[in-house]
Amino acid sequence: MDVSLIASNVLSPPVLFFFLGMLAVFLKSDLEIPQPLPKLFSLYLLFAIGFKGGNELVKSGVSQEVILTLLAAVMMACIVPIYTFFILKVKLDLYNAAAIAATYGSISAVTFITAGSFLTELGIDFSGYMVAALALMESPAIIVGLLLVKLFAIDKEDGDFSWSEVLQEAFLNSSVFLLVGSLIIGAVSGEKGWKVEEPFTQGIFYGVLTFFLLDMGLVAAGRIKDLGKTGTFLISFSILIPIVNAAIGILLAKAIGMPQGNALLFSVLCASASYIAVPAAMRMTLPEANPSLYVTAALALTFPFNIIVGIPLYLYGINLLWG
């Protein structure tokens, strides 16, 4: 593997600030981001990427490649929770296995954004419609995870949770709603809307991403102590499953005929794990599951692995396969 790819990714300012956040926790600095701000950063990033994606989607049009990509995205969001659930059930109980499987079937928008930043720095083009794949992959895993519980929990009463609440949380939670809404508004407003919003959506984008990753570093380092509770099985799972999922994503991208930039973003979506939307849904619908397992695995292990090693590793595999 080309070490320069890893160096290019690791030495980008947003990723370096992620490390700075972790270092602050390890050295017991009093550095912190006031709590309302990380939520604002998250909302801004979703708005900016959704708005740009909608604008680019109109430019590219709806082609066979777009349709196949979106179908592949939904398929992966549904299949990944199923096979990861059976792997996890080897060592974990039903509820924790379902919650973690749903977490890994869904996606991390920040990992996707970091991969886009990586491609931009390398001068590799990618299509705006990949944001639509991001939006479609957020929710299905939640539904699949809960269906698995329904199928395997013989003694669980049907009335233990409301399916209307589950569906609302899956499809109308703040991240999905804002991302899809921004995508539609970006498409409807067209080039004129893009020119109006560009100073805001692009001018400060990397600055906000940098502060968000600084906060993620603080949070991830704070959760590392929870890894002792997970054991080697979950630690290994959190590193190996993203690689497996990315490999499947790369093969699908090759079969569809995606260009290399799109293939990387698609593989990153397949490899990432949700640490915001799915945990919020799981806390409400599966209180039997332990949040320290699925949140720690996704945020303290898979997220850093993907942004440090995974993204350049997946691009290396894509470069080999694309020749």
Side-chain angles (χ1 to χ4, degrees):
M1 179 179 175
D2 190 350
V3 178
S4 65
L5 285 177
I6 296 179
S8 176
N9 190 46
V10 170
L11 295 179
S12 68
V15 176
L16 287 174
F17 272 90
F18 176 82
F19 290 137
L20 182 66
M22 296 189 76
L23 185 63
V25 174
F26 295 149
L27 297 180
K28 299 183 179 179
S29 167
D30 62 354
L31 176 66
E32 65 175 348
I33 307 295
Q35 276 314 298
L37 290 179
K39 179 66 173 177
L40 177 62
F41 295 156
S42 175
L43 293 175
Y44 167 80
L45 292 172
L46 291 169
F47 153 71
I49 194 172
F51 190 84
K52 181 179 181 180
N55 185 262
E56 293 293 332
L57 182 60
V58 171
K59 289 181 181 177
S60 64
V62 180
S63 63
Q64 179 179 338
E65 181 188 319
V66 173
I67 294 171
L68 289 176
T69 299
L70 299 184
L71 288 174
V74 174
M75 182 185 75
M76 285 297 290
C78 294
I79 292 176
V80 170
I82 296 174
Y83 67 75
T84 52
F85 171 75
F86 288 104
I87 294 171
L88 289 160
K89 266 188 101 284
V90 173
K91 292 286 186 179
L92 301 175
D93 63 82
L94 168 68
Y95 301 106
N96 282 310
I100 297 170
T103 298
Y104 280 80
S106 189
I107 52 87
S108 163
V110 179
T111 309
F112 177 90
I113 293 168
T114 305
S117 172
F118 177 64
L119 288 171
T120 300
E121 287 183 11
L122 293 178
I124 301 174
D125 293 331
F126 56 91
S127 303
Y129 70 75
M130 293 304 298
V131 179
L134 167 71
L136 288 173
M137 292 180 77
E138 182 98 57
S139 300
I142 298 173
I143 306 301
V144 173
L146 294 175
L147 285 174
L148 288 168
V149 171
K150 282 286 188 179
L151 289 172
F152 286 88
I154 300 173
D155 59 341
K156 188 173 178 64
E157 294 294 332
D158 290 338
D160 277 2
F161 57 80
S162 166
W163 277 103
S164 63
E165 290 181 3
V166 171
L167 293 172
Q168 181 168 351
E169 182 63 31
F171 294 104
L172 293 177
N173 69 74
S174 60
S175 59
V176 175
F177 186 80
L178 179 59
L179 183 64
V180 174
S182 299
L183 187 75
I184 294 170
I185 292 171
V188 170
S189 59
E191 191 63 26
K192 183 178 179 180
W194 172 251
K195 288 180 180 178
V196 170
E197 295 287 349
E198 186 177 13
F200 181 64
T201 57
Q202 297 301 297
I204 64 171
F205 182 85
Y206 287 104
V208 175
L209 176 61
T210 298
F211 265 99
F212 186 79
L213 285 180
L214 172 64
D215 181 67
M216 286 294 95
L218 294 167
V219 176
R223 286 198 170 272
I224 282 182
K225 61 184 179 182
D226 294 335
L227 295 180
K229 305 173 186 177
T230 67
T232 57
F233 172 76
L234 192 54
I235 292 173
S236 302
F237 173 91
S238 303
I239 301 300
L240 295 177
I241 283 297
I243 297 174
V244 171
N245 292 343
I248 296 172
I250 290 170
L251 293 175
L252 281 172
K254 180 65 174 176
I256 291 170
M258 293 185 203
Q260 287 166 279
N262 291 1
L264 177 66
L265 294 179
F266 182 69
S267 66
V268 166
L269 287 174
C270 295
S272 62
S274 172
Y275 51 82
I276 298 175
V278 175
M282 291 299 109
R283 284 194 184 99
M284 180 186 73
T285 56
L286 284 184
E288 301 90 342
N290 183 356
S292 70
L293 296 183
Y294 52 82
V295 175
T296 301
L299 181 57
L301 286 172
T302 300
F303 177 69
F305 171 78
N306 273 328
I307 67 168
I308 297 166
V309 178
I311 292 172
L313 176 65
Y314 310 148
L315 182 59
Y316 175 74
I318 289 166
N319 288 339
L320 285 179
L321 197 57
W322 268 244

